[in-house]
Amino acid sequence: MRIAFCLYKYFPFGGLQRDFLRVALACQARGHAIRVYTLEWRGDIPAGFELVLVPVRALSNCRRYAKFSAWVAAHLHGDPADRLVGFNKMPGLDVYFAADPCYEDKARTLRNPLYRLSGRYRHFAAYERAVFGAESRTEILMISPLQMPLFQKYYGTPDARLHLLPPGIAADRRAPINAAAIRAEFRSEFGIQENGLLLLQIGSGFKTKGLDRSLKALAALPQTLARRCRLIAIGDDDPKLFRAQAQALAIAEHVSILRGRSDILRFLLGADLLVHPAYNENTGTVLLEAVVAGLPVLTTAVCGYAHHIAEADAGVVVAEPFYAARARLRAGSDAGGRTRAPVLAPQRARLCRSGRHLQQCRTCGRRDHQRALMDAGEVFLDEPFRSLWAGRDPFVAVEALAGEVYRELEGRRTLRTEVAGRGYFVKIHRGIGWAEIAKNLATLRLPVLGAANEWLAIQRLRDLGVDSMRAVAFGLRGRNPARQLSFIITEELAPTISLEDYCLGWAQHPPSLRLKRALLVAVAQAARRMHLGGVNHRDFYICHFLLHLQPPPTADRLRLSLIDLHRAQVRDITPRRWRDKDLAALYFSVLDMPLTRHDRLRFLSAYFAQPLRRVLRDEAPLLARLANEAQRLQARFARKSAAGEMS
């Protein structure tokens, strides 16, 4: 199915824009072709997206948006799509994702009555009616229960067309296993003292999000507490007015206003309180992102997601007027300036548990018991190790496991063991030392500190529908990244054979054409899902695909599992650079196989889920880079082989 998406502007750090990207990527991961109509796109374009920049101009936004809608309708008439999904209200949508609040209610309750005589009002009211009107056929995906009765009050929208979605939280906002180390590094980088308090505000549109309120609240704190506080605001907006306000309030040295950025998790882990005193907020996804990162929240009740904060006991929700919120913030200190209110107290561990439970219940109901246990702590044991190690220290017990040792290095040990007649692979990491960390960083490589990479990658691949190993035990201990202890135990995948070994005899004994094509498509689809889901492998060679031999593989029935994930990286979106590195490594690893040009083109068509002609047109720079990168890998492999022979 070809799905067309409409939004007026895309930039990486807006809430509506992030919602759009998550939905579009999820549709793409399920095999649908994605087309995007927009007036402006800032940031990377995900692989496989057909981006259409609508070439219309006008003196006013209203006129420009009207031209946008007309242009899109005309373009779809000549090049149809199966569904049209909008993230801004406009006529002709099949589906509307309700990221914005009810415009009619704002116009009637927050504006002067004369406002409704303006052309701006007539435009936006008509576009909202085109979506929510009783006669419209648009299906509406609601993300705020507070807004549903407002739309029905003004438009009489039938219940059957309103579909309430649970809140979505990006996986990269959850507090990772090494959250304490990230927090310590962040606070050191930003010069935050041990007794310092960092207040954080996140969101584009500083006026709507209430940054002026945050500045007034900070200025109203007792001096003994104010000296310890610092406010960092992050968002894509003009900071000039708010910097002037901070100067006027004599708190400029305590305030930093930063542009939108991609490392938000570091700020969530390093801060002591998220402040979000919004004047108007449909949902407020950042509230939930703070909670799952273990950060307390102070927010206003106008936010659609504020009730989740109260239900999870993850902060303070205050009603208007705003002086109540300021009073709560001031109540955070006693006469000596010592923090005592729950909202400013160091209760990150409790809030981490509350936040993880909130995420599990609200957005991840499909996750099984194993993933829930993973979220609860730094040790996970499934059977048979839960019973086998009952009452024992898992880090001592794992060192006592015996079996065939596959690799023994100073900081890592890999072995195969058997328990109750079943095989398991055990990887024990004992810390790589500061020297190794420095060496990796000096060569611009991210060091692999332990088993957490593999653990997180296995969970993400499972969520993406990519077959991999099943982890039955995991543990991590220690905050020092150079001496961190960790382990992971996975079930043995048997009977299997690496895809490299399976294909060794193809030159002498070619497989059936249908089987070869089925394997090509299976590898391409696994790579596609992995990259679209934010995972890059970093050792993406054909030997790391295991082909299951039971039942015997056929063109209609085969199963591949991806292994060796200890260097994998997990993000919300895979950067193009890392995607290309994976594809180049895969290409290099099949150079000696008897694959034809048609085989390679079939792989590309399956990977991009696009007609081959479009792939060759749109991805020509990538194809050239793949060839160059494969040659570089070949040269490096030849140098290593020569060095090995000389030694």
Side-chain angles (χ1 to χ4, degrees):
M1 180 183 293
R2 177 180 292 179
I3 304 177
F5 289 85
C6 288
L7 71 165
Y8 293 142
K9 295 180 182 180
Y10 175 82
F11 53 96
F13 308 113
L16 178 150
Q17 286 75 15
R18 293 179 64 217
D19 285 339
F20 147 73
L21 192 59
R22 279 198 292 265
V23 172
L25 288 172
C27 292
Q28 188 184 52
R30 286 158 175 78
H32 302 296
I34 304 301
R35 179 190 298 169
V36 182
Y37 293 101
T38 186
L39 294 164
E40 177 184 340
W41 184 286
R42 288 160 47 194
D44 293 336
I45 303 171
F49 275 31
E50 179 190 355
L51 178 63
V52 180
L53 292 175
V54 177
V56 296
R57 285 181 169 80
L59 293 178
S60 69
N61 280 338
C62 297
R63 183 60 183 152
R64 192 180 184 204
Y65 296 158
K67 287 184 174 182
F68 173 90
S69 300
W71 193 97
V72 170
H75 190 272
L76 286 170
H77 182 74
D79 190 2
D82 297 291
R83 294 289 185 275
L84 180 61
V85 181
F87 280 74
N88 296 106
K89 301 161 191 164
M90 61 188 70
L93 299 177
D94 296 305
V95 179
Y96 170 63
F97 187 98
D100 292 326
C102 180
Y103 176 80
E104 186 68 30
D105 183 70
K106 289 169 59 179
R108 291 180 179 273
T109 60
L110 301 179
R111 306 286 189 188
N112 187 291
L114 294 177
Y115 174 77
R116 298 201 295 277
L117 300 177
S118 67
R120 176 183 175 84
Y121 168 78
R122 290 194 297 272
H123 169 84
F124 285 109
Y127 272 37
E128 186 168 84
R129 190 177 305 107
V131 173
F132 287 92
E135 69 284 354
S136 172
R137 296 184 178 181
T138 303
E139 297 292 328
I140 301 158
L141 305 180
M142 299 294 303
I143 56 177
S144 171
L146 299 181
Q147 293 293 316
M148 291 178 67
L150 295 178
F151 286 116
Q152 292 187 311
K153 171 184 175 182
Y154 293 109
Y155 300 108
T157 314
D159 289 338
R161 285 177 37 224
L162 296 173
H163 311 279
L164 183 61
L165 303 180
I169 310 173
D172 66 354
R173 294 298 195 259
R174 187 174 57 231
I177 296 298
N178 61 335
I182 296 174
R183 174 178 169 83
E185 179 186 356
F186 173 89
R187 292 175 75 87
S188 174
E189 176 185 337
F190 281 83
I192 301 167
Q193 302 299 320
E194 185 176 351
N195 69 338
L197 295 171
L198 175 58
L199 312 180
L200 179 65
Q201 181 159 350
I202 300 172
S204 299
F206 292 145
K207 184 176 180 180
T208 303
K209 308 300 183 186
L211 179 55
D212 62 320
R213 291 174 160 181
S214 298
L215 296 174
K216 292 174 184 175
L218 180 60
L221 289 174
Q223 228 178 19
T224 50
L225 180 59
R227 281 196 296 264
R228 297 165 47 204
C229 286
R230 181 175 174 186
L231 171 66
I232 294 180
I234 302 174
D236 273 348
D237 204 348
D238 186 354
K240 188 182 302 183
L241 176 64
F242 301 96
R243 285 179 176 151
Q245 182 185 4
Q247 288 280 0
L249 293 171
I251 56 172
E253 63 182 20
H254 297 277
V255 177
S256 301
I257 303 178
L258 311 179
R259 299 284 300 185
R261 49 198 296 156
S262 58
D263 59 343
I264 291 298
L265 180 60
R266 296 177 64 238
F267 287 82
L268 293 174
L269 295 176
D272 297 289
L273 176 70
L274 180 85
V275 290
H276 194 78
Y279 287 91
N280 183 49
E281 182 73 272
N282 188 28
T283 54
T285 303
V286 69
L287 306 180
L288 306 188
E289 292 178 341
V291 175
V292 300
L295 181 63
V297 172
L298 174 63
T299 189
T300 47
V302 299
C303 299
Y305 285 166
H307 68 97
H308 291 303
I309 303 303
E311 292 169 5
D313 189 23
V316 172
V317 179
V318 295
E320 299 290 343
F322 176 67
Y323 67 79
R326 184 166 61 188
R328 291 294 186 100
L329 190 57
R330 178 181 292 180
S333 67
D334 58 20
R338 293 185 296 274
T339 301
R340 60 180 174 83
V343 73
L344 291 180
Q347 300 186 36
R348 300 183 65 87
R350 177 180 64 79
L351 288 172
C352 275
R353 291 193 294 271
S354 297
R356 289 164 182 167
H357 176 70
L358 173 66
Q359 184 183 29
Q360 176 193 342
C361 294
R362 300 285 180 186
T363 66
C364 303
R366 67 186 183 278
R367 295 180 179 176
D368 58 17
H369 184 57
Q370 174 178 330
R371 185 61 176 270
L373 285 177
M374 175 267 189
D375 288 344
E378 296 181 348
V379 174
F380 163 75
L381 299 176
D382 201 351
E383 297 297 348
F385 295 94
R386 185 187 304 150
S387 300
L388 186 67
W389 292 349
R392 301 174 62 188
D393 183 341
F395 292 89
V396 175
V398 74
E399 293 282 2
L401 290 175
E404 180 184 359
V405 176
Y406 281 68
R407 178 169 296 182
E408 184 78 68
L409 303 173
E410 182 179 354
R412 192 175 75 192
R413 185 181 190 218
T414 303
L415 69 135
R416 179 189 180 277
T417 190
E418 288 194 7
V419 177
R422 188 180 184 106
Y424 299 90
F425 279 93
V426 183
K427 293 184 181 179
I428 304 171
H429 298 258
R430 304 187 183 97
I432 62 175
W434 286 112
E436 183 67 19
I437 292 176
K439 185 177 77 173
N440 276 266
L441 295 177
T443 56
L444 301 180
R445 293 182 179 179
L446 292 176
V448 178
L449 302 178
N453 274 31
E454 192 152 16
W455 170 261
L456 294 173
I458 288 173
Q459 311 307 314
R460 178 68 69 85
L461 289 182
R462 185 192 62 190
D463 290 347
L464 296 172
V466 179
D467 277 334
S468 184
M469 304 160 287
R470 189 175 88 86
V472 294
F474 168 76
L476 185 145
R477 174 183 290 170
R479 297 184 178 181
N480 184 340
R483 292 288 175 262
Q484 203 172 65
L485 300 178
S486 61
F487 66 84
I488 187 169
I489 303 177
T490 58
E491 286 183 346
E492 181 181 27
L493 298 175
T496 58
I497 184 174
S498 80
L499 203 51
E500 181 181 48
D501 291 339
Y502 182 77
C503 301
L504 278 178
W506 277 11
Q508 294 77 28
H509 306 286
S512 73
L513 187 60
R514 289 187 67 241
L515 177 59
K516 181 169 73 168
R517 289 178 175 176
L519 286 169
L520 283 168
V521 171
V523 172
Q525 289 179 342
R528 173 181 170 80
R529 289 176 183 170
M530 179 180 77
H531 290 152
L532 289 177
V535 181
N536 62 282
H537 194 284
R538 296 179 72 193
D539 286 307
F540 199 50
Y541 305 118
I542 200 70
C543 62
H544 291 146
F545 281 96
L546 295 186
L547 179 64
H548 292 255
L549 300 177
Q550 197 60 251
T554 66
D556 300 315
R557 183 181 59 193
L558 60 85
R559 180 186 169 200
L560 290 173
S561 290
L562 184 59
I563 63 167
D564 203 7
L565 298 163
H566 79 282
R567 297 181 69 227
Q569 297 172 328
V570 180
R571 302 177 177 87
D572 210 20
I573 302 173
T574 301
R576 185 180 292 263
R577 166 176 173 258
W578 287 106
R579 181 205 71 174
D580 292 354
K581 280 182 173 291
D582 272 0
L583 292 177
L586 186 64
Y587 180 45
F588 161 73
S589 69
V590 301
L591 286 177
D592 294 333
M593 292 184 182
L595 298 177
T596 67
R597 181 173 181 272
H598 288 292
D599 293 331
R600 295 183 174 90
L601 295 178
R602 183 178 298 276
F603 173 90
L604 291 172
S605 181
Y607 176 82
F608 288 105
Q610 296 279 358
L612 188 56
R613 180 177 298 177
R614 180 175 293 171
V615 173
L616 295 177
R617 181 194 68 196
D618 296 346
E619 300 296 338
L622 167 65
L623 302 183
R625 285 198 301 272
L626 290 183
N628 293 335
E629 184 69 9
Q631 289 178 357
R632 186 187 68 79
L633 291 172
Q634 270 188 315
R636 189 177 73 176
F637 180 75
R639 288 195 302 270
K640 286 187 175 181
S641 298
E645 290 175 1
M646 291 177 63
S647 62

